[in-house]
Amino acid sequence: GQKEASSELLASICDALVRGDEIGSQELQFRPGRAPRPGNYVWDVAETAGRGSAGSVGLVFQTVFLPLALATGSSELVLRGGTHVAWSPHVSYLEQVYLAALARCGLEAALNLKAWGFYPVGGGELVAQIDPQTIEIRPLSLTERAPLGRIWGTAAVSNLPSHIPQRMANRAMNVLAEEGLKAHVEAKHVRARGPGAGIFLFTEDENGTRAGFTAYGRKGLPAEHVAEAACEELLAYYRSGAPVDLHLADQLILPL
């Protein structure tokens, strides 16, 4: 239901014609009718799906952010669903990496995470403020990476034993320390409807370019293994010398 959620909300913003936005569709036609319309929008992925859903609010945000950023007035989005789920940009990544990169282009939004939503329950809530009056679009050039300046992150759980986030945090800091990288990872319990666990690591080089790396827990997977998976992604990026992480690379295409 993710494509349907995004397309219907975008249609309401742009008074657009949308065809093919049904489950199982192999083709989606989107034809904007007029310039994007700023305003206050509320979207619940679960209501769209007709059942409980952890569909990604991050993908919905990315779909409507650019049209509203180029509109003639301010907008507020209230998006409910999965805030931290696999195969999509989670809210922490959007705030720490995606929007940090776009801010250098002059595209800005303020995000307020009201509640976390893990798979499969969802139920998270994100409030986003977009004010085009602050936007002055500039080019962005990222061709090389400077030395890393800092590494930080969060090991977060909801409705799970208290030792789990600390084990993830400790293991991540130890793995990175073995490679000569100092990191600060906070162990944190968060408010969510269902159980969930994940570790969210970030880097920033001396030029201010950020990257993000994520791993989610699942039943039967030790907390230490979750931390190691995120560290493996971070270390692969670190050794590559690439100016952006592999997820940000494709997410920058549309705004650029």
Side-chain angles (χ1 to χ4, degrees):
Q2 186 62 59
K3 182 168 66 175
E4 292 77 15
S6 301
S7 61
E8 288 184 26
L9 180 55
L10 191 55
S12 66
I13 290 171
C14 299
D15 286 335
L17 170 67
V18 180
R19 290 177 178 166
D21 57 329
E22 62 268 349
I23 294 175
S25 173
Q26 298 298 303
E27 182 175 318
L28 179 68
Q29 181 185 70
F30 176 78
R31 184 176 297 167
R34 67 176 185 181
R37 184 173 53 194
N40 296 331
Y41 296 94
V42 179
W43 195 259
D44 191 321
V45 177
E47 288 184 4
T48 302
R51 52 181 168 73
S53 174
S56 169
V57 301
L59 290 174
V60 176
F61 171 80
Q62 285 186 322
T63 300
V64 301
F65 169 54
L66 291 176
L68 290 176
L70 300 174
T72 57
S74 299
S75 297
E76 179 180 271
L77 299 172
V78 178
L79 304 176
R80 301 187 180 111
T83 64
H84 293 76
V85 293
W87 313 113
S88 63
H90 55 78
V91 171
S92 301
Y93 184 92
L94 291 177
E95 188 169 31
Q96 297 291 338
V97 181
Y98 178 74
L99 286 176
L102 293 194
R104 297 165 70 172
C105 298
L107 294 163
E108 298 185 4
L111 303 184
N112 184 3
L113 180 59
K114 296 288 190 179
W116 290 55
F118 290 104
Y119 177 85
V121 176
E125 181 172 295
L126 171 68
V127 178
Q129 303 284 343
I130 303 170
D131 183 6
Q133 297 179 29
T134 65
I135 289 175
E136 181 181 352
I137 297 178
R138 302 181 294 271
L140 177 66
S141 177
L142 296 170
T143 57
E144 60 183 22
R145 188 178 74 223
L148 295 186
R150 65 182 180 123
I151 303 173
W152 74 101
T154 301
V157 304
S158 64
N159 302 301
L160 291 173
S162 59
H163 60 84
I164 293 178
Q166 194 61 60
R167 286 167 54 199
M168 287 193 292
N170 290 345
R171 183 55 182 155
M173 289 187 286
N174 288 338
V175 169
L176 296 175
E178 291 170 1
E179 298 291 331
L181 299 174
K182 183 179 180 180
H184 175 71
V185 183
E186 177 187 9
K188 189 174 183 179
H189 287 266
V190 299
R191 182 171 64 89
R193 287 186 183 177
I199 186 165
F200 314 99
L201 303 177
F202 306 101
T203 68
E204 183 177 67
D205 71 15
E206 293 178 358
N207 289 333
T209 301
R210 295 182 175 184
F213 314 92
T214 300
Y216 291 100
R218 64 178 185 272
K219 189 174 182 179
L221 182 66
E224 290 78 10
H225 291 186
V226 179
E228 289 163 3
C231 289
E232 286 176 8
E233 284 194 10
L234 189 157
L235 291 172
Y237 162 78
Y238 173 66
R239 294 163 182 155
S240 74
V244 297
D245 69 56
L246 60 87
H247 301 296
L248 185 62
D250 62 85
Q251 292 177 40
L252 286 177
I253 291 174
L254 184 58
L256 291 181

